Amino acid sequence: MMTIKKVGIIGAGKVGIVLADLALRAGYEVRISGSGSVGKIALIIKTLVPGAIASENSDVVANSDIILLAIPLSRYKNIDPALLRGKLVIDAMNYWWETDGIREEVLAPGLTSSEQVQAYFKDSALVKAFNHMGYHNLQEEAQPAGSPKRKALFVTGDDRTAVAEVAHFVDTMGFDQIVHYDLADGIMTEPGSPLFGASLKYDDLKDIIDHFDQTEFGKKIAASEK
């Protein structure tokens, strides 16, 4: 297992800022980029997450061991896939109509959002995590291992080594992990699913996952695309 020391976050919105804060608290070196100028992002970072380094996407990626995508889903194709070649990438994005617009203009039918993101970044190892819990909960409910108050996050991906790396990273960020090895299972965490918005302990989250009906939820998603 690789040693993760440097964390890169693409996206300086609410989720990106919270993830940067958690990573700093966990002892990582953190770089973060956003859609505005580096100077503008630096001012936000200095105020909200002092200690993080504001930079451009290329510098963030070049100087990080792991990359978190925390931008609106409709903007992931603004990133050159070559930039993330060979990188371990966490997809913390969700389709959300208020920010992303019409679903079929962002996503093709028949595949989950993470499968489509992975297909675009085909030379990266993509793992889905940090997307089903609200940013307030992420910020306020991180707990050390063994705490009876500790919550759990769902982690899934096709690359078992990458999933193991991310699961360990999630642990250091303050959360237990329920691990799957199929990126398509990311559908369990998409908006509208029982897991979306869930801030639960391990056993409670696992119970929802164990009883999740992917077929029925898939029909719901398909219906929304018509």
Side-chain angles (χ1 to χ4, degrees):
M1 185 175 289
M2 66 183 268
T3 301
I4 296 172
K5 295 182 178 179
K6 300 178 180 180
V7 174
I9 300 170
I10 297 179
K14 293 173 182 176
V15 175
I17 293 297
V18 167
L19 292 173
D21 181 50
L22 291 176
L24 285 170
R25 282 193 266 161
Y28 295 105
E29 180 180 304
V30 178
R31 283 177 169 78
I32 186 167
S33 60
S35 57
S37 67
V38 174
K40 182 179 178 180
I41 300 301
L43 185 60
I44 296 171
I45 296 307
K46 184 178 181 180
T47 303
L48 299 178
V49 276
I53 302 166
S55 194
E56 297 178 348
N57 286 355
S58 57
D59 179 67
V60 168
V61 174
N63 290 286
S64 299
D65 303 313
I66 190 169
I67 304 297
L68 290 95
L69 294 179
I71 57 178
L73 181 65
S74 55
R75 298 180 189 170
Y76 76 89
K77 288 187 177 179
N78 292 348
I79 302 170
D80 184 349
L83 184 65
L84 299 184
R85 182 179 293 128
K87 286 290 185 176
L88 175 57
V89 179
I90 295 177
D91 175 11
M93 302 181 292
N94 291 302
Y95 165 76
W96 194 246
W97 69 271
E98 290 183 342
T99 53
D100 295 317
I102 300 171
R103 184 183 177 91
E104 55 263 33
E105 293 181 358
V106 179
L107 297 169
L111 290 175
T112 64
S113 63
S114 286
E115 288 176 289
Q116 295 182 55
V117 174
Q118 174 67 91
Y120 181 75
F121 295 111
K122 61 184 180 63
D123 297 317
S124 306
L126 192 86
V127 178
K128 189 79 166 180
F130 293 109
N131 69 300
H132 68 77
M133 188 182 291
Y135 66 90
H136 281 302
N137 296 112
L138 284 170
Q139 186 170 42
E140 296 166 5
E141 297 181 359
Q143 295 285 335
S147 168
K149 296 180 180 180
R150 204 177 209 218
K151 301 298 180 64
L153 292 174
F154 186 61
V155 179
T156 192
D158 293 333
D159 185 318
R160 284 180 170 261
T161 300
V163 170
E165 298 280 2
V166 172
H168 176 69
F169 177 70
V170 169
D171 183 44
T172 66
M173 294 278 273
F175 300 91
D176 288 337
Q177 321 89 52
I178 293 178
V179 172
H180 281 207
Y181 298 103
D182 186 348
L183 191 60
D185 285 351
I187 195 172
M188 297 186 186
T189 62
E190 292 191 7
S193 78
L195 266 70
F196 187 70
S199 178
L200 300 169
K201 295 180 181 179
Y202 180 92
D203 289 342
D204 295 328
L205 190 65
K206 189 174 188 304
D207 185 62
I208 292 177
I209 292 168
D210 289 345
H211 292 89
F212 186 91
D213 190 330
Q214 292 200 38
T215 302
E216 285 303 311
F217 186 63
K219 289 178 182 177
K220 182 178 179 181
I221 291 296
S224 73
E225 294 171 344
K226 291 180 180 179

